[in-house]
Amino acid sequence: MQWRKETDLPSSFGFFIGTSILLLFASIYIEALFFIGIVALAVGLSSVYYVRYITNQIALQNVKRAVRMFPEDEETILLTFRNNGKLPIFSSTFSFFTDNQVSVKGVKELANGRFKDNYCFPLTIMPNETRQYQLKIKANKRGPARISEIKLEVKDLLGMVRGVMYFDSVYKKDFIVYPTADPVKGIERLIQIQQGERPYAFSYFQDPTLTVGTRDYIIGDSFKQIHWKASARKPELQTKILEKTTSLSWTLILNITTTKGDSLSIVDPNLEQNISYMAFMCQYATQKNIPFSIYVNIRARGKVPVFHLDVGQGRPHLMKALELLARIRHDSLITPMAHMLSLVDRKLDNQAVIIAVGDIDGTKEQSYYSKWQNARKPFYHIDTQGNTVPFRGQLGRRVI
Amino acid sequence: MQVSEKIKHLKESIGKVIIGKEETVELLMVALLSKGHVLLEDVPGTGKTMLSKSLAKSINGAFRRVQFTPDVLPSDITGIQFLNPKTKEFELKPGPVMTNILLADEINRATPRTQASLLEVMEERQVTIDGETLKLPTPFLVMATQNPIESQGTFPLPEAQMDRFLMRINVGYPSASEEKEIMRRYRKAEPIDELTPIFSLEEMMEMQAIIKDVNITEDVEDYMLEIIHKTRDSENVEVGVSPRGTLAFMRAVQSYALINGRTYVTPTDVQKIAPHVLSHRIVLSLEGELRKSSKQVVEEIIALVEVPVETGAVR
């Protein structure tokens, strides 16, 4: 069942039916009233029948689709209704709520709430007809949004009987408004090439698991490097040519909270700005083919108990990263920063450049920062002005 | 027997193995008639490999399968010259490309160098081994499969390679009723074992020749070109469809019309075929890719371009 239905019989309808029954009784004395009474009763009952019939015949197509937008983008979606019945649907009203990360253009706005806005439009569908209504969606601000609390109000022609249908499942249109990207100054300093697995033509290092071709054997080549399968086909031994590789990856850490001394953490007032810096770095990393991973101190379910994106690169990875940033909520359950850093420390790639965005002044976290500093890991902080600052630690010593 | 009837027969035959994928089979036939190659793309377990095997069995051609892995070398695909110790002469050993249907399974698991070994094979239908060039058998069709979700240990196909595929087809999940039918049909038997050839290779080549006679009016030509040019001008697109793509598009709509029993192309054929032939040939801009898939972009372009109608008809 797609809809939960309620039929509302207002007191005016009771009065109408009551009057028609009274007219039928009165017709014992005045015959002319009989016809009026019968017609009135028939109209009243058929109104109830019409509304109950119609509410069983309407279907709303619910196809899964994610609409991805940047703030100020506009996108059109189609709402497809089907009237499976033999009676037309007139004077009905379709209403719904949207999270205010998006707004709907060209339809009547019933209410404008703090988190959600209510919209409605009239609906008319002929018998056995499929009708599509276009909704122009405008992205307002970062975040995910959905169409929810879908309600269809059906009335009979006289407006006496009202059927209300509540959409009983989740409407599968997801709107994801990506964060805007604000430039980070000095980001080029974060590109530091080291030994690793990333293909790089001029590297000294090779990945022994990645054979890219063969060449004739030269005395001195390692026995392990002989490509036996290729050698069997040729008159002489063949040596594997391995992919030359390097390492360049970023570990992006976002702290959504700020700590005032030892007191409780609160959500950082600069969170939106920090997310914009994160978005910029993700886009920059994608343009420069730098793999990156993200950690955000928000509690999550799964193997990694924080908001987290494993290391990856390319455009699909950027899409996931921006979607993760879009889904950060101000009222999320927070994981203490020190807990998250312990997790990052365990998973950290030895060669990765660590970039922290947000508050790094919490006292409990300093032990991790010092550990990375002592291990000479490249560790940078993006300050509130968007500057790339090498972490100096408590002694004021530069990491690199 | 008419081409459309034969195709219907083929669809029914493959439908015994791959349930509910009539449209996909139709598109595969479009590729085969257009002398094009197909990239089947979807999540694991949707029947990509089974579909390829079924088609090969139905057209009575030679079939070879190569499982692409990171250590497959270009010579494993194209072939090698080797020294025969008995004759003490170099002998040519052609690779699995010497076939009618080549199933390149999980093509994106091979390194770019190995993927590139298929470039000459797909475009020129010939293979060069140590300077010696051999013509491939006709008809020749590469059916490649890839899983678009998995990125670990895979190498995305370069644009030049993508452009050599006539179509990219998403196989998709079956509906609940189709899946029930799959459960029932596979409970006791392996339906692919019962498949018999529907076409001979000669018939296939005859049909490939016939499609060139399918008529395209100037209005439809202009319609197709407008779609192509819009892909080059779209704000979401960095690189639009190439002239090779235009020719492939033309041939594919001709084949589609013939399969549907017509000797002329309609705008509906163009609309039907365009997303499959054009979407993998465009490169989206960074922002464009974050907003939409290439298929959505092509569908939007189709919706924007005015559809030609017959003279005298009301627009």
Side-chain angles (χ1 to χ4, degrees):
Chain A
M1 292 287 278
Q2 203 177 30
W3 305 92
R4 183 166 49 82
K5 289 159 244 170
E6 285 173 12
T7 309
D8 182 22
L9 300 173
S11 52
S12 58
F13 177 75
F15 179 76
F16 185 82
I17 294 292
T19 309
S20 56
I21 292 169
L22 274 178
L23 285 173
L24 285 176
F25 278 117
S27 67
I28 298 168
Y29 306 102
I30 310 163
E31 269 185 33
L33 292 178
F34 180 77
F35 180 72
I36 299 168
I38 282 290
V39 169
L41 192 63
V43 167
L45 293 177
S46 59
S47 293
V48 175
Y49 171 80
Y50 171 78
V51 169
R52 291 211 169 139
Y53 176 78
I54 283 299
T55 52
N56 283 321
Q57 304 302 328
I58 304 174
L60 171 63
Q61 203 182 75
N62 191 8
V63 180
K64 196 173 170 183
R65 186 188 161 195
V67 181
R68 295 179 168 85
M69 296 182 279
F70 283 98
E72 302 302 316
D73 275 2
E74 285 192 355
E75 188 68 47
T76 304
I77 63 157
L78 293 173
L79 291 176
T80 309
F81 295 90
R82 168 90 191 149
N83 177 6
N84 293 312
K86 289 176 179 148
L87 295 172
I89 300 166
F90 294 116
S91 60
S92 61
T93 308
F94 181 79
S95 68
F96 59 91
F97 282 82
T98 59
D99 298 288
N100 57 16
Q101 277 77 11
V102 296
S103 54
V104 186
K105 301 280 160 200
V107 294
K108 190 177 168 189
E109 189 170 356
L110 291 175
N112 194 337
R114 192 175 161 204
F115 300 111
K116 288 185 173 190
D117 302 329
N118 190 196
Y119 299 93
C120 76
F121 60 85
L123 193 76
T124 303
I125 318 175
M126 292 297 118
N128 277 317
E129 188 194 20
T130 301
R131 183 164 283 195
Q132 291 188 320
Y133 286 84
Q134 282 193 345
L135 286 187
K136 196 168 260 184
I137 307 285
K138 188 182 177 201
N140 297 329
K141 57 182 180 183
R142 179 194 68 82
R146 276 203 152 162
I147 292 178
S148 57
E149 296 172 58
I150 292 172
K151 194 170 84 174
L152 183 59
E153 205 177 301
V154 185
K155 284 183 182 165
D156 67 304
L157 281 175
L158 300 176
M160 282 192 303
V161 183
R162 195 172 72 108
V164 185
M165 303 162 68
Y166 299 96
F167 196 69
D168 227 8
S169 47
V170 175
Y171 191 63
K172 295 182 227 164
K173 293 268 188 298
D174 267 334
F175 304 100
I176 294 146
V177 184
Y178 293 132
T180 48
D182 281 353
V184 171
K185 293 162 209 148
I187 195 168
E188 58 286 341
R189 279 201 281 177
L190 304 177
I191 301 176
Q192 294 176 12
I193 294 166
Q194 295 175 52
Q195 180 179 2
E197 296 168 344
R198 187 168 173 256
Y200 188 66
F202 306 105
S203 178
Y204 292 124
F205 312 105
Q206 294 179 331
D207 183 346
T209 62
L210 213 59
T211 308
V212 290
T214 56
R215 61 168 168 78
D216 289 346
Y217 178 81
I218 302 169
I219 295 167
D221 282 346
S222 162
F223 190 69
K224 284 180 191 167
Q225 273 189 284
I226 295 173
H227 196 302
W228 294 107
K229 202 172 154 189
S231 300
R233 293 197 208 104
K234 294 239 173 171
E236 53 196 307
L237 285 176
Q238 295 293 299
T239 303
K240 289 176 191 170
I241 300 174
L242 302 175
E243 186 78 91
K244 290 189 174 183
T245 53
T246 183
S247 170
L248 173 60
S249 71
W250 288 357
T251 299
L252 303 170
I253 300 170
L254 173 65
N255 183 2
I256 71 159
T257 60
T258 183
T259 315
K260 304 287 176 209
D262 282 339
S263 66
L264 205 65
S265 300
I266 55 159
V267 171
D268 194 334
N270 291 321
L271 178 60
E272 289 303 321
Q273 184 64 58
N274 290 339
I275 289 174
S276 296
Y277 293 145
M278 289 283 286
F280 178 80
M281 286 191 289
C282 294
Q283 290 189 11
Y284 186 84
T286 304
Q287 281 163 359
K288 300 283 176 191
N289 287 322
I290 301 169
F292 62 92
S293 59
I294 297 178
Y295 294 87
V296 185
N297 59 331
I298 291 175
R299 199 169 293 175
R301 288 178 184 175
K303 272 196 280 184
V304 181
V306 292
F307 245 41
H308 156 257
L309 183 67
D310 258 330
V311 68
Q313 68 185 107
R315 291 177 177 194
H317 188 68
L318 174 63
M319 197 188 285
K320 285 183 201 163
L322 292 185
E323 194 168 326
L324 179 140
L325 294 174
R327 288 186 186 279
I328 293 172
R329 295 166 61 108
H330 287 249
D331 57 353
S332 304
L333 279 174
I334 292 163
T335 293
M337 193 60 184
H339 289 192
M340 188 181 79
L341 292 181
S342 120
L343 194 96
V344 174
D345 189 49
R346 270 182 278 141
K347 287 180 74 80
L348 198 61
D349 173 2
N350 275 336
Q351 312 298 333
V353 177
I354 308 161
I355 304 152
V357 182
D359 185 9
I360 56 164
D361 294 333
T363 46
K364 289 177 187 167
E365 295 97 88
Q366 293 307 317
S367 61
Y368 292 99
Y369 301 147
S370 304
K371 186 181 168 187
W372 295 339
Q373 189 183 19
N374 293 338
R376 302 249 163 211
K377 288 186 192 293
F379 181 29
Y380 289 83
H381 175 234
I382 308 299
D383 69 12
T384 49
Q385 306 302 314
N387 297 307
T388 308
V389 184
F391 182 73
R392 289 167 195 276
Q394 288 165 332
L395 301 173
R397 186 158 58 92
R398 281 178 68 106
V399 175
I400 57 164
Chain B
M1 201 190 277
Q2 286 270 317
V3 176
S4 55
E5 281 172 29
K6 278 225 158 196
I7 299 290
K8 195 180 160 196
H9 193 187
L10 180 97
K11 274 198 256 179
E12 282 167 6
S13 172
I14 295 182
K16 288 174 194 162
V17 181
I18 302 287
I19 292 134
K21 292 281 165 260
E22 288 81 9
E23 193 195 337
T24 310
V25 176
E26 197 170 71
L27 291 172
L28 283 178
M29 285 313 297
V30 167
L32 198 57
L33 292 183
S34 313
K35 297 186 184 175
H37 309 287
V38 181
L39 180 62
L40 292 168
E41 201 178 76
D42 225 311
V43 290
T46 43
K48 301 184 288 287
T49 309
M50 183 66 90
L51 184 62
S52 319
K53 285 160 79 177
S54 307
L55 183 73
K57 218 166 170 184
S58 301
I59 63 163
N60 202 20
F63 172 73
R64 298 289 290 271
R65 173 186 175 158
V66 181
Q67 182 66 49
F68 279 71
T69 55
D71 68 344
V72 173
L73 297 171
S75 57
D76 292 337
I77 309 295
T78 53
I80 50 157
Q81 291 246 26
F82 73 103
L83 184 71
N84 188 334
K86 283 182 188 165
T87 59
K88 296 199 173 167
E89 279 182 6
F90 276 100
E91 280 181 21
L92 194 69
K93 190 182 175 201
V97 290
M98 279 292 167
T99 185
N100 295 116
I101 293 193
L102 175 70
L103 171 59
D105 214 4
E106 303 199 71
I107 191 169
N108 57 339
R109 290 198 180 275
T111 58
R113 283 167 213 220
T114 308
Q115 290 171 3
S117 66
L118 283 173
L119 290 175
E120 183 193 4
V121 169
M122 290 170 75
E123 182 61 22
E124 292 167 47
R125 288 157 198 278
Q126 64 179 33
V127 61
T128 307
I129 308 161
D130 288 342
E132 196 170 330
T133 301
L134 302 173
K135 282 275 169 213
L136 297 181
T138 46
F140 175 69
L141 170 77
V142 175
M143 291 174 76
T145 70
Q146 72 169 0
N147 167 11
I149 305 297
E150 213 168 335
S151 56
Q152 208 83 37
T154 59
F155 303 87
L157 294 175
E159 277 74 41
Q161 186 95 47
M162 290 298 275
D163 205 34
R164 279 161 170 82
F165 284 104
L166 177 78
M167 284 188 189
R168 181 175 61 184
I169 303 171
N170 293 100
V171 180
Y173 287 116
S175 67
S177 58
E178 287 161 358
E179 210 153 353
K180 190 189 257 184
E181 184 59 31
I182 292 171
M183 286 166 70
R184 285 181 182 168
R185 214 170 281 184
Y186 279 78
R187 203 168 293 167
K188 286 185 181 169
E190 279 297 328
I192 194 163
D193 297 337
E194 292 155 24
L195 276 187
T196 49
I198 308 290
F199 291 101
S200 66
L201 292 180
E202 291 70 30
E203 282 176 314
M204 187 54 66
M205 280 150 68
E206 267 173 40
M207 283 195 283
Q208 284 179 340
I210 292 172
I211 66 154
K212 290 176 184 165
D213 299 330
V214 174
N215 186 35
I216 307 179
T217 61
E218 198 175 339
D219 280 349
V220 176
E221 269 176 0
D222 291 342
Y223 179 52
M224 290 168 68
L225 283 174
E226 204 170 337
I227 292 173
I228 296 280
H229 280 260
K230 278 261 187 313
T231 66
R232 295 171 192 166
D233 303 334
S234 168
E235 56 167 355
N236 290 316
V237 178
E238 207 167 87
V239 182
V241 175
S242 64
R244 184 191 354 237
T246 310
L247 291 174
F249 188 28
M250 177 192 74
R251 201 62 85 205
V253 290
Q254 282 180 308
S255 303
Y256 187 74
L258 189 73
I259 283 173
N260 286 288
R262 278 181 277 106
T263 53
Y264 56 90
V265 169
T266 67
T268 317
D269 298 333
V270 176
Q271 289 170 350
K272 180 81 189 165
I273 289 296
H276 303 288
V277 178
L278 304 184
S279 66
H280 65 285
R281 294 171 192 272
I282 58 174
V283 180
L284 298 183
S285 63
L286 183 62
E287 289 212 333
E289 193 160 338
L290 291 171
R291 288 188 178 101
K292 290 175 181 129
S293 69
S294 53
K295 197 172 177 188
Q296 279 174 328
V297 170
V298 172
E299 281 167 353
E300 278 181 12
I301 288 170
I302 294 168
L304 280 176
V305 177
E306 199 179 345
V307 184
V309 289
E310 270 185 88
T311 316
V314 181
R315 277 181 193 250

